[in-house]
Amino acid sequence: MSDKIMDRAAVSLRNSGERPVHLRRGLLLALILLAFARLCWHLDAHNLWWDESLSLQRAESGWLALLQGHLVMRDGISELLTIDQHPFFYFVLQGLLLRGAGIEEFVLRFPSVMAATLLVPVLWALGRRLVARGVLAAGSAEWAALLAALNPFFLWYGQEARPYALWAMLAVLSTYLLLRVTEEGAPSRPWLVGYLVTLLAFLTTHYYAALLLPVHALLCFGWLRRRAPQWAWVAAFGLLAVGGVVAGAGAWLILKQGGGENFRFVPLRIMLPDLLNAFSMGLSVDIDQVWWLDLVFGALALVGIGWGLRSRKSMAAGGWLLPTFLGVPILLLLAVSRVQPAYMNARHLSLLSGAFVLLVAAGLAAVAQRQRWAAAGLALLLVAGVGYSTANYFTRPEYGKDDYTGAGHYLAERLLPGDLLLLNPPFSWRIFDYYLPVDLVEQGAREGKGTAVYGVPFLHQGWEEIEAGLERLRGQYRRIWLVTSGTHPYLDPERRVKAWLEQNTVRLKKESFYSPTSFLDVELFLTQVPVFTRVPADMEHPADVVFGDQIRLVGYSVGQRLAAGSALPVTLYWQTEQPTDVHYKYILRLLQPAQDGEPQVLATTEREPYDGVIPTIYWKPGEIIMEYSELPPAPLADDGRYLLALQMYHAETLEKLPITQAPADAQIDADGVTLLLPYTPAH
């Protein structure tokens, strides 16, 4: 770049006839605030997904482990040390923030929010610089800032606790700073230091950052070629060498752990539409429905490229920069993928997204120079498109995340002493621990309440050892909860743990929670068939009450809760007087008597015995069915006096069964259908 071109660029910035400085700055500030507000909106509405839990685990680890990328996977028995597939810079930012503000989703994702927000002023700055050089049409910077503030791709990764938004921002920022360095006859120290610091952050955010260094090498070479030819080659090859070292280190760390084995080669004919759709309309659309709008974005980007390459003068001023910014990383990644597939989806090339947005903006600005109304119409079309995608993102469940919160609430209301919690796979331990009541189970184990939690399949064990371990656990616990996430199924792709439990225990329940791309199941298994020929020795309170001359409550037991806010375990011992073909259900309530007036209902359980798995139609006279039931969490005072109210009814007609036989001291409500059982919390 000649000094004359630089002089003209400086004059162009001062005398381009643009809006007054305060108006431009006001517009930029408004767009920054718009981007920030949109990114913060419902930032914690979606649960974390598995990849984000790895970010959390790394960010909250010790500083040395964080820098080394050490992630320890555990199953409650043993541990497995793994190395994360990303360098450290993003997680350092997260770690600093988490240590001061906590580990909530909002905090964990906030570095991505800031990175996506900063893309607006960074693209503005790069756009203005290229406009000043005559590479882009006037107005490109403003259009770029608007499109960046509304871009659905930046929204998606700006609300995800992963490094992709930061990587995209640093790609643009490092290129802008290098551009400023190469505009001077001698490099300005502030710009040079800024570039080197940003380059370091860029390279330590994602190993694929090395794909952009050939573009930086070309920029340095072109600048130094006329000033210091001997240093031009040194600088260019130096940058390429740095890129090679970073890429080599990343490849070694990833491949030695078997990383990339689930990648398949993606040809250019598939990659380009995928990238075009992602950078234009984001990930919250169906590409088959919006392909035509993707083409509008792509056509405008081509217009922007054409404007920069319209003459030798514009090419010499840097018209080659943005096309090369887009093309070189794609070609390099394709070349690498011929040896080892390295592309799965657009996030792996998110460093290109800023350049693409700037080229689309340049295309709009070029159209505006010839026909403002046409540019305005195109802009409205683009804004409507990204608005549609944004609405999908916030409202359509298929673009959400797995409902770990729902699974956690479900478990917390049903966990009882004597329960075993199995988490499949153990690689998801951190996200399970974040949302599920794992701490409640661990607390119960410490307090001697017979609970435990393990990850399955067990690490470092073959399937014979795993099944032997499951058999040992089956003999130690009354019930087994199995939580299975399909997000990372590689340890148990055939779901052999579930199959073993189905063959060797009694499955009582299965609840599926929302998962947009896989599954999230919570299942309950009973370790022993709960049918006895004599009264079990651990029954605390005999009752001997008969409902409707058909169903007898032999007795009941009320256990201790796992914690103050946990479910109240109630064990019911049933018997049938004679065979029946009728399904009966019961209503169990926890009441707090009042000195005057109706007692207060604190909790209610209504179900068929064992939720219909062992219904009354299968009961045989003389056999006792022991049912582990529970009442939902309710506030209980240690010195309180409470009542359990029990009713039976016909499942089809809903007719309540009268109490037809009871001991003389039994408490029966005046309605004749409600049995009242005293309960005092154990100290």
Side-chain angles (χ1 to χ4, degrees), residues 49 51-52 54-56 58 84-94 108-109 111-113 115-116 119 153 156-171 201-202 204-209 347-348 350-351 353:
W49 72 294
D51 279 23
E52 291 181 287
L54 298 181
S55 297
L56 169 61
R58 186 167 177 184
D84 193 15
Q85 297 183 2
H86 294 282
F88 56 81
F89 181 66
Y90 179 79
F91 307 107
V92 169
L93 298 179
Q94 279 187 320
L108 189 64
R109 290 167 171 161
S112 295
V113 168
L119 265 164
F153 184 79
W156 186 286
Y157 288 108
Q159 288 201 336
E160 184 172 288
R162 298 298 283 167
Y164 303 109
L166 178 63
W167 186 36
M169 188 275 292
L170 291 173
F202 181 46
T204 54
T205 297
H206 200 290
Y207 292 117
Y208 283 14
R347 72 172 184 258
H348 293 126
S350 62
L351 82 165
S353 55

Side-chain angles (χ1 to χ4, degrees), residues 368-382:
Q369 289 205 349
R370 294 183 177 272
Q371 180 52 260
R372 289 190 176 184
W373 288 109
L378 286 170
L380 287 175
L381 179 63
L382 300 189

Side-chain angles (χ1 to χ4, degrees), residues 539 541-546 552-556 573 575 577 661-663 666 675:
M539 187 182 78
H541 307 290
D544 199 27
V545 174
V546 179
R552 180 185 298 272
L553 178 69
V554 178
Y556 70 100
Y573 299 84
Q575 198 172 51
E577 296 295 286
Q661 179 182 327
L675 174 64

Side-chain angles (χ1 to χ4, degrees), residues 470-483:
L470 291 173
E471 179 62 34
R472 287 192 298 272
L473 293 174
R474 187 175 74 92
Q476 298 173 23
Y477 301 94
R478 300 191 308 184
R479 306 192 307 175
I480 298 176
W481 291 95
L482 174 66
V483 183

Side-chain angles (χ1 to χ4, degrees), residues 72-302:
V72 178
M73 305 298 169
R74 62 192 184 100
D75 60 8
I77 300 173
S78 60
E79 295 182 344
L80 174 65
L81 176 64
T82 65
I83 306 298
D84 193 15
Q85 297 183 2
H86 294 282
F88 56 81
F89 181 66
Y90 179 79
F91 307 107
V92 169
L93 298 179
Q94 279 187 320
L96 291 171
L97 195 58
L98 263 61
R99 283 160 173 78
I103 62 171
E104 289 75 18
E105 293 105 326
F106 192 100
V107 176
L108 189 64
R109 290 167 171 161
F110 196 73
S112 295
V113 168
M114 294 308 301
T117 301
L118 287 173
L119 265 164
V120 175
V122 170
L123 281 172
W124 172 291
L126 180 58
R128 280 182 53 78
R129 211 67 208 166
L130 293 177
V131 168
R133 287 170 168 248
V135 171
L136 303 182
S140 296
E142 289 82 354
W143 286 119
L146 174 64
L147 293 177
L150 300 177
N151 187 276
F153 184 79
F154 297 157
L155 173 63
W156 186 286
Y157 288 108
Q159 288 201 336
E160 184 172 288
R162 298 298 283 167
Y164 303 109
L166 178 63
W167 186 36
M169 188 275 292
L170 291 173
V172 178
L173 180 59
S174 62
T175 304
Y176 167 74
L177 292 172
L178 182 58
L179 198 64
R180 296 305 302 263
V181 169
T182 59
E183 285 181 350
E184 306 293 339
S188 169
R189 179 171 294 181
W191 293 119
L192 180 59
V193 171
Y195 169 69
L196 293 176
V197 171
T198 304
L199 180 64
L200 178 62
F202 181 46
L203 294 173
T204 54
T205 297
H206 200 290
Y207 292 117
Y208 283 14
L211 298 173
L212 191 61
L213 289 196
V215 180
H216 288 193
L218 284 173
L219 195 57
C220 285
F221 183 82
W223 174 61
L224 289 171
R225 183 167 53 91
R226 295 181 180 178
R227 291 170 173 78
Q230 68 279 14
W231 290 107
W233 292 102
V234 172
F237 280 110
L239 281 171
L240 293 176
V242 170
V245 170
V246 171
W252 179 74
L253 286 172
I254 294 170
L255 295 178
K256 77 171 185 176
Q257 299 184 100
E261 291 181 353
N262 58 328
F263 284 29
R264 298 293 179 266
F265 177 74
V266 179
L268 189 62
R269 60 182 175 81
I270 295 177
M271 183 187 296
L272 285 183
D274 184 46
L275 292 172
L276 177 60
N277 178 72
F279 297 160
S280 302
M281 295 290 291
L283 307 182
S284 45
V285 291
D286 183 346
I287 189 172
D288 292 331
Q289 296 178 355
V290 300
W291 60 268
W292 60 273
L293 196 49
D294 291 339
L295 293 180
V296 175
F297 277 92
L300 286 170
L302 289 176

Side-chain angles (χ1 to χ4, degrees), residues 434-480:
Y434 191 84
Y435 289 107
L436 306 186
V438 173
D439 57 339
L440 187 63
V441 177
E442 293 175 335
Q443 177 184 334
R446 291 191 298 269
E447 295 176 354
K449 295 181 179 178
T451 56
V453 56
Y454 295 101
V456 288
F458 305 123
L459 301 173
H460 308 297
Q461 294 187 19
W463 277 105
E464 288 188 5
E465 295 176 286
I466 291 170
E467 291 177 354
L470 291 173
E471 179 62 34
R472 287 192 298 272
L473 293 174
R474 187 175 74 92
Q476 298 173 23
Y477 301 94
R478 300 191 308 184
R479 306 192 307 175
I480 298 176

Side-chain angles (χ1 to χ4, degrees), residues 7 12 62 70 133 148 170 204 219 302 348 378 385 388 413 427 463 471-472 551 555 604 640 653 669 680:
D7 292 340
S12 177
H70 288 179
R133 287 170 168 248
L170 291 173
T204 54
L219 195 57
L302 289 176
H348 293 126
L378 286 170
Y388 165 73
E413 293 179 352
F427 285 171
W463 277 105
E471 179 62 34
R472 287 192 298 272
I551 304 298
T604 301
T653 66
D669 192 75
T680 301

Side-chain angles (χ1 to χ4, degrees), residues 473-528:
L473 293 174
R474 187 175 74 92
Q476 298 173 23
Y477 301 94
R478 300 191 308 184
R479 306 192 307 175
I480 298 176
W481 291 95
L482 174 66
V483 183
T484 308
S485 168
T487 303
H488 195 278
Y490 308 110
L491 288 181
D492 188 13
E494 299 176 356
R495 304 191 71 176
R496 293 179 63 173
V497 171
K498 175 182 176 179
W500 187 92
L501 289 171
E502 289 178 335
Q503 292 173 5
N504 295 276
T505 64
V506 180
R507 192 175 79 170
L508 299 179
K509 298 180 182 180
K510 177 183 177 181
E511 290 291 332
S512 295
F513 295 87
Y514 181 74
S515 175
T517 57
S518 57
F519 60 87
L520 179 61
D521 294 338
V522 178
E523 297 172 273
L524 176 61
F525 299 86
L526 200 60
T527 57
Q528 303 292 335

